[in-house]
Amino acid sequence: MTLELGVLALLQAKPGKEAELAAFLEGGRAIVAEEPATRVWYAFQVDGSTFGIFDAFEDEADRQEHLNGRIPAALGTVGADLLAAAPDIRLVDVLAVKDPA
């Protein structure tokens, strides 16, 4: 498995919506489990109101499939209620990976 491409999304919760955003992200695990091309997926919290998602893919087709999939669509549905600003979504190149084997 060679992971070459990723997506980093940073999300800022509206005041008082931090727990709801965390729950939304935790629920994303079930959605992404149905995406075999999404090889790595993490949801994380940076500080009290800043959250993020990082995922990695073997090629651009896999990354685009994810970007057009259910997680971004779900985020679009709840974003106005939970987010203080538009998501900061960055396409990244993966430079190195520690092989878990």
Side-chain angles (χ1 to χ4, degrees):
M1 164 178 65
T2 303
L3 299 177
E4 297 183 359
L5 303 172
V7 176
L8 176 64
L10 298 174
L11 312 168
Q12 188 71 37
K14 284 184 177 178
K17 297 290 186 170
E18 297 85 358
E20 289 179 59
L21 182 54
F24 169 80
L25 292 173
E26 290 169 6
R29 180 181 5 203
I31 294 172
V32 81
E34 299 175 10
E35 295 182 2
T38 303
R39 303 300 298 267
V40 173
W41 186 85
Y42 294 97
F44 57 89
Q45 187 168 3
V46 177
D47 59 33
S49 62
T50 306
F51 297 80
I53 299 170
F54 175 77
D55 29 38
F57 312 89
E58 291 182 12
D59 59 38
E60 186 61 34
D62 292 345
R63 179 163 65 179
Q64 288 303 315
E65 180 180 333
H66 175 74
L67 288 170
N68 293 310
R70 291 176 53 202
I71 296 253
L75 186 57
T77 301
V78 301
D81 184 46
L82 300 181
L83 301 180
D88 179 4
I89 299 174
R90 300 176 187 201
L91 304 182
V92 300
D93 294 329
V94 176
L95 299 179
V97 176
K98 177 183 175 193
D99 187 351

Coordinates of all heavy atoms in Angstrom, one line a residue:
M1 N 0.9 -1.2 0.0 CA 0.0 0.0 0.0 C 0.9 1.2 0.0 O 1.7 1.4 0.9 CB -0.9 0.0 1.2 CG -1.5 1.3 1.6 SD -2.7 1.3 3.0 CE -1.6 0.9 4.3
T2 N 0.8 2.1 -1.0 CA 1.5 3.3 -1.1 C 0.5 4.5 -1.0 O -0.3 4.7 -1.9 CB 2.3 3.4 -2.4 OG1 3.2 2.3 -2.5 CG2 3.1 4.7 -2.4
L3 N 0.5 5.1 0.1 CA -0.4 6.3 0.3 C 0.4 7.5 -0.2 O 1.4 7.9 0.4 CB -0.8 6.4 1.8 CG -1.6 5.2 2.3 CD1 -1.8 5.4 3.8 CD2 -2.8 5.0 1.6
E4 N -0.2 8.1 -1.2 CA 0.5 9.3 -1.8 C -0.2 10.6 -1.6 O 0.4 11.7 -1.7 CB 0.8 9.0 -3.3 CG 1.7 7.8 -3.5 CD 2.0 7.6 -4.9 OE1 1.5 8.4 -5.8 OE2 2.8 6.7 -5.2
L5 N -1.5 10.5 -1.4 CA -2.4 11.7 -1.4 C -3.2 11.7 -0.2 O -3.6 10.7 0.3 CB -3.2 11.8 -2.7 CG -2.5 11.7 -4.0 CD1 -3.4 11.6 -5.1 CD2 -1.6 13.0 -4.1
G6 N -3.5 13.0 0.3 CA -4.4 13.1 1.5 C -5.3 14.3 1.4 O -5.2 15.1 0.5
V7 N -6.2 14.3 2.4 CA -7.1 15.5 2.6 C -7.0 15.9 4.0 O -7.1 15.0 4.9 CB -8.5 15.2 2.2 CG1 -9.4 16.4 2.5 CG2 -8.6 14.8 0.7
L8 N -6.7 17.1 4.3 CA -6.8 17.7 5.7 C -7.9 18.7 5.7 O -7.9 19.6 4.9 CB -5.4 18.3 6.0 CG -5.4 19.0 7.4 CD1 -5.5 18.0 8.5 CD2 -4.1 19.8 7.5
A9 N -8.9 18.4 6.6 CA -10.0 19.4 6.8 C -10.0 19.9 8.2 O -10.0 19.1 9.1 CB -11.3 18.7 6.4
L10 N -9.9 21.2 8.4 CA -10.0 21.8 9.7 C -11.3 22.4 9.9 O -11.8 23.1 8.9 CB -8.9 22.8 9.9 CG -7.5 22.2 9.8 CD1 -6.4 23.3 9.8 CD2 -7.2 21.2 10.9
L11 N -12.0 22.2 11.0 CA -13.3 22.6 11.3 C -13.4 23.4 12.6 O -12.9 22.9 13.6 CB -14.2 21.4 11.4 CG -14.1 20.3 10.3 CD1 -14.8 19.1 10.6 CD2 -14.6 20.9 9.0
Q12 N -14.0 24.5 12.5 CA -14.2 25.4 13.7 C -15.7 25.3 14.2 O -16.6 25.7 13.4 CB -13.8 26.8 13.4 CG -13.8 27.7 14.6 CD -12.6 27.4 15.5 OE1 -11.5 27.1 15.0 NE2 -12.8 27.5 16.7
A13 N -15.9 24.8 15.4 CA -17.3 24.6 15.9 C -17.8 26.0 16.3 O -17.1 26.8 16.8 CB -17.3 23.7 17.0
K14 N -19.1 26.2 16.1 CA -19.8 27.3 16.7 C -19.7 27.2 18.2 O -19.7 26.1 18.7 CB -21.2 27.4 16.3 CG -21.4 27.9 14.9 CD -22.9 28.0 14.5 CE -23.1 28.5 13.2 NZ -24.6 28.6 12.8
P15 N -19.7 28.3 18.9 CA -19.8 28.2 20.4 C -21.0 27.4 20.9 O -22.1 27.6 20.4 CB -19.9 29.7 20.8 CG -19.3 30.5 19.7 CD -19.6 29.7 18.5
G16 N -20.7 26.5 21.8 CA -21.8 25.6 22.3 C -22.1 24.4 21.4 O -22.9 23.6 21.8
K17 N -21.5 24.3 20.2 CA -21.7 23.2 19.3 C -20.6 22.2 19.3 O -20.6 21.2 18.5 CB -22.0 23.7 17.9 CG -23.2 24.6 17.8 CD -24.5 23.7 17.9 CE -25.7 24.5 17.7 NZ -26.9 23.7 17.6
E18 N -19.6 22.3 20.2 CA -18.4 21.5 20.2 C -18.7 20.0 20.3 O -18.2 19.1 19.6 CB -17.4 21.9 21.2 CG -16.9 23.3 21.1 CD -17.8 24.4 21.6 OE1 -18.9 24.1 22.2 OE2 -17.4 25.6 21.6
A19 N -19.6 19.7 21.3 CA -19.9 18.3 21.5 C -20.7 17.7 20.4 O -20.5 16.5 20.0 CB -20.8 18.1 22.8
E20 N -21.6 18.5 19.7 CA -22.3 18.0 18.6 C -21.4 17.7 17.4 O -21.5 16.7 16.7 CB -23.4 19.0 18.2 CG -24.5 19.0 19.1 CD -25.6 20.0 18.7 OE1 -26.1 19.9 17.6 OE2 -25.8 21.0 19.5
L21 N -20.4 18.6 17.2 CA -19.4 18.4 16.1 C -18.6 17.2 16.4 O -18.3 16.3 15.5 CB -18.6 19.6 15.9 CG -17.6 19.5 14.7 CD1 -18.2 19.2 13.4 CD2 -16.8 20.9 14.6
A22 N -18.2 17.0 17.6 CA -17.4 15.8 18.0 C -18.2 14.5 17.7 O -17.7 13.5 17.2 CB -17.0 15.9 19.4
A23 N -19.5 14.5 18.1 CA -20.3 13.4 17.9 C -20.5 13.1 16.4 O -20.5 11.9 15.9 CB -21.7 13.6 18.5
F24 N -20.7 14.2 15.6 CA -20.8 14.0 14.1 C -19.5 13.3 13.6 O -19.6 12.4 12.8 CB -21.0 15.4 13.5 CG -20.9 15.4 12.0 CD1 -21.9 14.9 11.2 CD2 -19.7 15.7 11.4 CE1 -21.8 14.9 9.8 CE2 -19.5 15.7 10.0 CZ -20.6 15.3 9.2
L25 N -18.4 13.8 14.0 CA -17.1 13.2 13.5 C -17.0 11.8 13.9 O -16.5 10.9 13.1 CB -15.9 14.1 14.0 CG -15.9 15.4 13.3 CD1 -14.7 16.3 14.0 CD2 -15.7 15.4 11.8
E26 N -17.3 11.5 15.2 CA -17.3 10.1 15.6 C -18.2 9.2 14.8 O -17.8 8.1 14.4 CB -17.6 10.0 17.1 CG -16.6 10.6 18.0 CD -17.0 10.7 19.4 OE1 -18.1 10.3 19.8 OE2 -16.2 11.3 20.2
G27 N -19.3 9.7 14.4 CA -20.3 8.9 13.6 C -19.8 8.8 12.1 O -20.2 7.8 11.4
G28 N -18.8 9.6 11.7 CA -18.3 9.5 10.4 C -17.5 8.2 10.2 O -17.3 7.7 9.1
R29 N -17.0 7.6 11.3 CA -16.3 6.3 11.2 C -17.1 5.3 10.5 O -16.6 4.5 9.6 CB -15.8 5.9 12.5 CG -15.0 4.6 12.5 CD -14.6 4.1 13.9 NE -15.2 4.9 15.0 CZ -14.7 5.0 16.2 NH1 -13.6 4.4 16.5 NH2 -15.2 5.8 17.1
A30 N -18.4 5.2 10.8 CA -19.2 4.2 10.1 C -19.4 4.4 8.7 O -19.4 3.5 7.9 CB -20.6 4.1 10.8
I31 N -19.5 5.7 8.3 CA -19.6 6.0 6.9 C -18.3 5.6 6.1 O -18.4 5.0 5.1 CB -19.9 7.5 6.7 CG1 -21.3 7.8 7.3 CG2 -19.9 7.9 5.2 CD1 -21.6 9.3 7.3
V32 N -17.2 6.1 6.6 CA -15.9 5.8 5.9 C -15.5 4.4 5.9 O -14.8 3.9 5.0 CB -14.8 6.8 6.5 CG1 -14.2 6.2 7.7 CG2 -13.8 7.0 5.4
A33 N -16.1 3.6 6.8 CA -15.8 2.2 6.8 C -16.3 1.5 5.6 O -15.8 0.4 5.2 CB -16.4 1.5 8.1
E34 N -17.2 2.1 4.9 CA -17.8 1.6 3.7 C -17.1 2.1 2.4 O -17.5 1.9 1.3 CB -19.3 2.0 3.6 CG -20.1 1.4 4.7 CD -21.6 1.9 4.7 OE1 -22.0 2.5 3.7 OE2 -22.3 1.6 5.7
E35 N -16.0 2.8 2.6 CA -15.2 3.3 1.5 C -13.8 2.6 1.5 O -12.8 3.1 2.1 CB -14.9 4.8 1.7 CG -16.1 5.7 1.7 CD -15.8 7.2 1.8 OE1 -14.6 7.6 1.9 OE2 -16.7 8.0 1.8
P36 N -13.7 1.5 0.8 CA -12.4 0.8 0.8 C -11.3 1.6 0.2 O -10.1 1.3 0.5 CB -12.7 -0.4 -0.1 CG -14.0 -0.1 -0.8 CD -14.7 0.9 0.0
A37 N -11.5 2.6 -0.7 CA -10.4 3.4 -1.2 C -9.9 4.4 -0.2 O -8.8 4.9 -0.4 CB -10.9 4.1 -2.5
T38 N -10.6 4.7 0.8 CA -10.1 5.6 1.9 C -9.3 4.7 2.8 O -9.9 4.0 3.7 CB -11.3 6.3 2.6 OG1 -12.0 7.0 1.7 CG2 -10.7 7.2 3.7
R39 N -8.0 4.7 2.6 CA -7.1 3.7 3.3 C -6.8 4.2 4.8 O -6.6 3.3 5.6 CB -5.8 3.6 2.6 CG -6.0 3.1 1.1 CD -6.7 1.8 1.0 NE -6.0 0.7 1.7 CZ -5.1 -0.1 1.1 NH1 -4.9 0.0 -0.2 NH2 -4.5 -1.0 1.7
V40 N -6.8 5.5 5.0 CA -6.5 6.0 6.4 C -7.6 7.1 6.6 O -7.8 7.9 5.7 CB -5.1 6.6 6.5 CG1 -4.9 7.3 7.8 CG2 -4.1 5.5 6.3
W41 N -8.1 7.1 7.8 CA -9.1 8.2 8.1 C -9.0 8.4 9.6 O -9.1 7.5 10.4 CB -10.5 7.7 7.8 CG -11.6 8.8 8.0 CD1 -11.9 9.8 7.1 CD2 -12.4 9.0 9.1 NE1 -12.9 10.6 7.6 CE2 -13.2 10.1 8.8 CE3 -12.5 8.4 10.3 CZ2 -14.2 10.6 9.7 CZ3 -13.5 8.9 11.2 CH2 -14.3 10.0 10.9
Y42 N -8.8 9.7 10.0 CA -8.7 10.1 11.4 C -9.6 11.3 11.5 O -9.6 12.2 10.7 CB -7.3 10.6 11.8 CG -6.3 9.5 11.8 CD1 -5.5 9.3 10.7 CD2 -6.1 8.7 12.9 CE1 -4.5 8.3 10.7 CE2 -5.2 7.7 12.9 CZ -4.3 7.5 11.8 OH -3.4 6.5 11.8
A43 N -10.4 11.3 12.6 CA -11.1 12.5 13.1 C -10.4 12.9 14.4 O -10.1 12.0 15.2 CB -12.6 12.2 13.3
F44 N -10.2 14.2 14.6 CA -9.4 14.6 15.8 C -9.9 16.0 16.3 O -10.6 16.7 15.6 CB -7.9 14.6 15.5 CG -7.5 15.5 14.3 CD1 -7.2 16.8 14.5 CD2 -7.5 15.0 13.0 CE1 -6.8 17.6 13.4 CE2 -7.1 15.8 11.9 CZ -6.8 17.1 12.1
Q45 N -9.4 16.3 17.5 CA -9.7 17.6 18.1 C -8.4 18.3 18.4 O -7.5 17.7 19.0 CB -10.6 17.4 19.3 CG -11.0 18.7 19.9 CD -12.1 18.5 21.0 OE1 -12.4 17.4 21.4 NE2 -12.6 19.7 21.5
V46 N -8.2 19.5 17.9 CA -7.0 20.3 18.1 C -7.1 21.0 19.5 O -6.1 21.1 20.2 CB -6.8 21.3 17.0 CG1 -5.6 22.1 17.2 CG2 -6.7 20.5 15.6
D47 N -8.2 21.7 19.7 CA -8.4 22.4 20.9 C -9.9 22.4 21.2 O -10.6 21.7 20.6 CB -7.8 23.8 20.9 CG -8.3 24.7 19.8 OD1 -9.5 24.6 19.4 OD2 -7.6 25.5 19.2
G48 N -10.3 23.3 22.1 CA -11.7 23.3 22.5 C -12.8 23.4 21.4 O -13.8 22.8 21.5
S49 N -12.4 24.1 20.4 CA -13.4 24.3 19.3 C -12.9 24.0 17.9 O -13.7 24.1 17.0 CB -13.9 25.8 19.3 OG -12.8 26.7 19.1
T50 N -11.7 23.6 17.8 CA -11.1 23.2 16.5 C -11.0 21.7 16.3 O -10.4 21.1 17.2 CB -9.7 23.9 16.3 OG1 -9.8 25.3 16.6 CG2 -9.2 23.6 14.9
F51 N -11.5 21.2 15.3 CA -11.6 19.8 15.0 C -11.0 19.6 13.6 O -10.8 20.5 12.8 CB -13.0 19.3 15.0 CG -13.6 19.4 16.4 CD1 -14.2 20.6 16.8 CD2 -13.7 18.3 17.2 CE1 -14.8 20.7 18.0 CE2 -14.3 18.4 18.5 CZ -14.8 19.6 18.9
G52 N -10.8 18.3 13.3 CA -10.3 18.1 11.9 C -10.5 16.6 11.5 O -10.8 15.8 12.3
I53 N -10.2 16.4 10.2 CA -10.2 15.1 9.6 C -9.0 15.0 8.7 O -8.7 16.0 8.0 CB -11.5 14.9 8.7 CG1 -12.8 15.0 9.5 CG2 -11.4 13.6 8.0 CD1 -14.0 15.1 8.6
F54 N -8.3 13.9 8.8 CA -7.2 13.6 7.9 C -7.5 12.2 7.3 O -7.8 11.3 8.0 CB -5.9 13.6 8.5 CG -4.8 13.1 7.6 CD1 -4.3 14.0 6.6 CD2 -4.3 11.8 7.6 CE1 -3.4 13.6 5.7 CE2 -3.4 11.4 6.7 CZ -2.9 12.3 5.7
D55 N -7.4 12.1 5.9 CA -7.5 10.8 5.3 C -6.5 10.7 4.2 O -6.0 11.8 3.7 CB -8.9 10.6 4.7 CG -9.7 11.8 4.4 OD1 -9.1 12.7 3.8 OD2 -10.9 11.8 4.6
A56 N -6.2 9.5 3.8 CA -5.1 9.3 2.8 C -5.6 8.2 1.8 O -6.3 7.3 2.1 CB -3.8 8.9 3.5
F57 N -5.0 8.4 0.6 CA -5.4 7.6 -0.5 C -4.2 7.1 -1.4 O -3.2 7.8 -1.3 CB -6.4 8.4 -1.4 CG -7.5 9.0 -0.6 CD1 -7.3 10.3 -0.1 CD2 -8.6 8.4 -0.3 CE1 -8.2 10.9 0.7 CE2 -9.6 9.0 0.4 CZ -9.4 10.3 1.0
E58 N -4.4 6.1 -2.2 CA -3.3 5.6 -3.0 C -3.2 6.5 -4.3 O -2.1 6.6 -4.9 CB -3.5 4.2 -3.4 CG -3.3 3.3 -2.2 CD -3.5 1.8 -2.5 OE1 -3.5 1.4 -3.7 OE2 -3.5 1.0 -1.5
D59 N -4.3 7.0 -4.8 CA -4.2 7.8 -6.0 C -5.3 8.9 -6.1 O -6.2 8.9 -5.2 CB -4.3 6.9 -7.3 CG -5.6 6.0 -7.3 OD1 -6.7 6.5 -7.0 OD2 -5.5 4.9 -7.7
E60 N -5.3 9.7 -7.1 CA -6.2 10.8 -7.2 C -7.6 10.4 -7.4 O -8.6 11.0 -6.9 CB -5.8 11.7 -8.4 CG -6.6 13.0 -8.5 CD -6.5 13.9 -7.2 OE1 -5.5 13.9 -6.6 OE2 -7.6 14.5 -6.9
A61 N -7.9 9.3 -8.2 CA -9.2 8.8 -8.4 C -9.9 8.4 -7.0 O -11.0 8.7 -6.8 CB -9.2 7.6 -9.3
D62 N -9.1 7.8 -6.1 CA -9.6 7.4 -4.8 C -9.9 8.6 -4.0 O -11.0 8.7 -3.3 CB -8.6 6.5 -4.1 CG -8.4 5.1 -4.7 OD1 -9.3 4.7 -5.5 OD2 -7.5 4.5 -4.4
R63 N -9.0 9.6 -4.1 CA -9.3 10.8 -3.3 C -10.5 11.6 -3.8 O -11.4 12.0 -3.0 CB -8.1 11.8 -3.4 CG -8.3 13.1 -2.6 CD -7.0 13.8 -2.3 NE -6.3 14.3 -3.5 CZ -5.2 15.0 -3.5 NH1 -4.6 15.3 -2.3 NH2 -4.6 15.4 -4.6
Q64 N -10.7 11.6 -5.1 CA -11.9 12.3 -5.7 C -13.1 11.6 -5.3 O -14.2 12.2 -5.1 CB -11.7 12.5 -7.2 CG -10.7 13.5 -7.6 CD -11.0 14.9 -7.0 OE1 -12.1 15.4 -7.0 NE2 -9.9 15.5 -6.4
E65 N -13.1 10.2 -5.3 CA -14.2 9.4 -4.9 C -14.7 9.8 -3.5 O -15.9 10.0 -3.2 CB -13.9 7.9 -5.0 CG -15.1 7.0 -4.7 CD -14.7 5.6 -4.8 OE1 -13.8 5.2 -5.5 OE2 -15.3 4.8 -4.0
H66 N -13.7 9.9 -2.6 CA -14.0 10.3 -1.2 C -14.6 11.7 -1.2 O -15.6 12.0 -0.5 CB -12.8 10.2 -0.4 CG -13.0 10.7 1.0 ND1 -13.8 10.0 2.0 CD2 -12.6 11.8 1.6 CE1 -13.8 10.7 3.1 NE2 -13.1 11.8 2.9
L67 N -14.0 12.7 -1.9 CA -14.4 14.1 -1.8 C -15.8 14.2 -2.4 O -16.5 15.2 -2.1 CB -13.4 14.9 -2.6 CG -12.1 15.2 -1.9 CD1 -11.1 15.9 -2.9 CD2 -12.2 16.0 -0.6
N68 N -16.2 13.3 -3.2 CA -17.6 13.3 -3.8 C -18.5 12.4 -3.1 O -19.6 12.1 -3.5 CB -17.6 13.0 -5.3 CG -16.9 14.1 -6.1 OD1 -17.2 15.3 -5.9 ND2 -15.9 13.7 -6.9
G69 N -18.1 11.9 -1.9 CA -18.8 10.9 -1.2 C -19.7 11.4 -0.1 O -20.1 12.6 0.0
R70 N -20.0 10.5 0.8 CA -21.0 10.7 1.9 C -20.5 11.6 3.0 O -21.3 12.4 3.6 CB -21.5 9.4 2.4 CG -22.3 8.6 1.4 CD -22.7 7.2 1.9 NE -23.4 7.3 3.2 CZ -23.5 6.3 4.1 NH1 -22.9 5.1 3.8 NH2 -24.1 6.4 5.2
I71 N -19.3 11.6 3.4 CA -18.8 12.4 4.5 C -18.9 13.9 4.1 O -19.5 14.7 4.8 CB -17.4 12.0 4.9 CG1 -17.3 10.6 5.4 CG2 -16.7 13.0 5.8 CD1 -17.2 10.4 6.9
P72 N -18.3 14.3 2.9 CA -18.5 15.7 2.6 C -20.0 16.1 2.4 O -20.3 17.3 2.8 CB -17.7 15.9 1.3 CG -16.7 14.8 1.3 CD -17.4 13.6 2.0
A73 N -20.8 15.2 1.9 CA -22.2 15.6 1.7 C -22.8 15.7 3.1 O -23.6 16.7 3.3 CB -22.9 14.4 1.0
A74 N -22.5 14.9 4.1 CA -23.1 15.0 5.4 C -22.6 16.3 6.1 O -23.4 17.0 6.8 CB -22.7 13.8 6.2
L75 N -21.3 16.6 5.9 CA -20.8 17.8 6.5 C -21.5 19.0 5.9 O -21.8 20.0 6.6 CB -19.3 17.9 6.2 CG -18.6 19.1 6.9 CD1 -18.8 19.0 8.4 CD2 -17.1 19.0 6.6
G76 N -21.8 19.0 4.6 CA -22.5 20.1 4.0 C -23.9 20.3 4.6 O -24.4 21.4 4.7
T77 N -24.5 19.2 5.0 CA -25.9 19.2 5.6 C -25.9 19.8 7.0 O -26.8 20.6 7.3 CB -26.5 17.8 5.6 OG1 -26.5 17.2 4.3 CG2 -27.8 17.8 6.2
V78 N -24.9 19.5 7.8 CA -24.9 20.0 9.2 C -24.0 21.2 9.4 O -24.0 21.8 10.4 CB -24.4 18.9 10.2 CG1 -25.3 17.7 10.1 CG2 -23.0 18.5 9.9
G79 N -23.2 21.6 8.4 CA -22.2 22.6 8.5 C -22.8 24.0 9.0 O -22.2 24.6 9.9
A80 N -23.9 24.4 8.4 CA -24.5 25.7 8.8 C -24.9 25.7 10.3 O -24.8 26.8 10.9 CB -25.7 26.0 7.9
D81 N -25.3 24.6 10.8 CA -25.7 24.5 12.2 C -24.5 24.4 13.2 O -24.5 25.0 14.3 CB -26.6 23.4 12.4 CG -27.2 23.3 13.8 OD1 -27.6 24.4 14.4 OD2 -27.2 22.2 14.4
L82 N -23.4 23.6 12.8 CA -22.4 23.3 13.7 C -21.1 24.1 13.5 O -20.3 24.3 14.5 CB -22.0 21.8 13.5 CG -23.1 20.8 13.8 CD1 -22.5 19.4 13.6 CD2 -23.7 21.0 15.2
L83 N -20.8 24.7 12.3 CA -19.6 25.3 12.0 C -19.6 26.8 12.1 O -20.5 27.4 11.6 CB -19.1 24.9 10.7 CG -18.9 23.4 10.4 CD1 -18.4 23.1 9.0 CD2 -17.9 22.8 11.5
A84 N -18.6 27.4 12.7 CA -18.5 28.9 12.8 C -18.0 29.5 11.5 O -18.2 30.7 11.2 CB -17.5 29.2 13.9
A85 N -17.3 28.7 10.6 CA -16.8 29.1 9.3 C -16.8 28.0 8.4 O -17.0 26.8 8.8 CB -15.4 29.7 9.5
A86 N -16.6 28.3 7.1 CA -16.5 27.2 6.1 C -15.3 26.3 6.5 O -14.3 26.8 7.0 CB -16.3 27.8 4.7
P87 N -15.4 25.0 6.2 CA -14.3 24.1 6.5 C -13.1 24.5 5.7 O -13.2 25.0 4.5 CB -14.8 22.7 6.0 CG -16.3 22.8 5.9 CD -16.6 24.3 5.7
D88 N -11.9 24.4 6.3 CA -10.6 24.7 5.6 C -10.1 23.4 5.1 O -9.6 22.6 5.9 CB -9.7 25.3 6.6 CG -8.3 25.6 6.0 OD1 -8.1 25.4 4.8 OD2 -7.4 26.0 6.8
I89 N -10.4 23.1 3.8 CA -10.0 21.8 3.2 C -8.8 22.0 2.4 O -8.8 22.8 1.5 CB -11.2 21.2 2.4 CG1 -12.4 21.0 3.4 CG2 -10.8 19.9 1.7 CD1 -13.7 20.6 2.7
R90 N -7.8 21.1 2.7 CA -6.6 21.2 1.9 C -6.2 19.8 1.3 O -6.2 18.8 2.1 CB -5.4 21.7 2.8 CG -5.7 23.0 3.5 CD -4.7 23.4 4.4 NE -5.0 24.6 5.1 CZ -4.2 25.4 5.7 NH1 -2.9 25.1 5.7 NH2 -4.6 26.5 6.4
L91 N -5.9 19.8 0.1 CA -5.4 18.6 -0.6 C -3.9 18.6 -0.3 O -3.2 19.5 -0.6 CB -5.7 18.6 -2.1 CG -7.2 18.8 -2.4 CD1 -7.3 18.7 -3.9 CD2 -8.0 17.8 -1.7
V92 N -3.4 17.4 0.2 CA -2.0 17.4 0.6 C -1.3 16.1 -0.1 O -2.0 15.2 -0.5 CB -1.8 17.2 2.1 CG1 -2.4 18.5 2.8 CG2 -2.4 16.0 2.7
D93 N 0.0 16.2 -0.2 CA 0.8 15.1 -0.7 C 1.4 14.4 0.5 O 1.9 15.1 1.4 CB 1.9 15.6 -1.6 CG 1.4 16.1 -2.9 OD1 0.3 15.7 -3.4 OD2 2.0 17.0 -3.5
V94 N 1.3 13.1 0.6 CA 1.9 12.4 1.7 C 3.3 12.1 1.4 O 3.7 11.6 0.4 CB 1.1 11.1 1.9 CG1 1.8 10.2 3.0 CG2 -0.3 11.3 2.3
L95 N 4.2 12.6 2.3 CA 5.7 12.5 2.0 C 6.3 11.2 2.6 O 7.2 10.6 2.1 CB 6.4 13.7 2.6 CG 6.0 15.0 2.0 CD1 6.8 16.1 2.7 CD2 6.2 15.0 0.5
A96 N 5.7 10.7 3.8 CA 6.3 9.5 4.4 C 5.2 8.9 5.2 O 4.3 9.6 5.8 CB 7.5 9.9 5.2
V97 N 5.2 7.6 5.3 CA 4.3 6.8 6.1 C 5.0 5.7 6.9 O 5.9 5.1 6.3 CB 3.2 6.1 5.2 CG1 2.3 5.3 6.1 CG2 2.4 7.2 4.5
K98 N 4.7 5.6 8.2 CA 5.3 4.5 8.9 C 4.4 3.2 8.6 O 3.2 3.2 8.9 CB 5.3 4.8 10.4 CG 5.8 3.6 11.2 CD 5.8 3.9 12.7 CE 6.2 2.6 13.4 NZ 5.9 2.7 14.9
D99 N 5.0 2.2 8.1 CA 4.3 1.0 7.8 C 3.9 0.3 9.1 O 4.8 0.0 9.9 CB 5.2 0.1 7.0 CG 4.5 -1.2 6.4 OD1 3.3 -1.4 6.9 OD2 5.0 -1.9 5.6
P100 N 2.6 0.0 9.3 CA 2.2 -0.6 10.6 C 2.6 -2.1 10.7 O 2.5 -2.7 11.8 CB 0.7 -0.5 10.6 CG 0.4 -0.4 9.1 CD 1.5 0.3 8.5
A101 N 3.1 -2.7 9.7 CA 3.5 -4.1 9.7 C 4.8 -4.4 10.4 O 5.7 -3.6 10.5 CB 3.5 -4.7 8.3

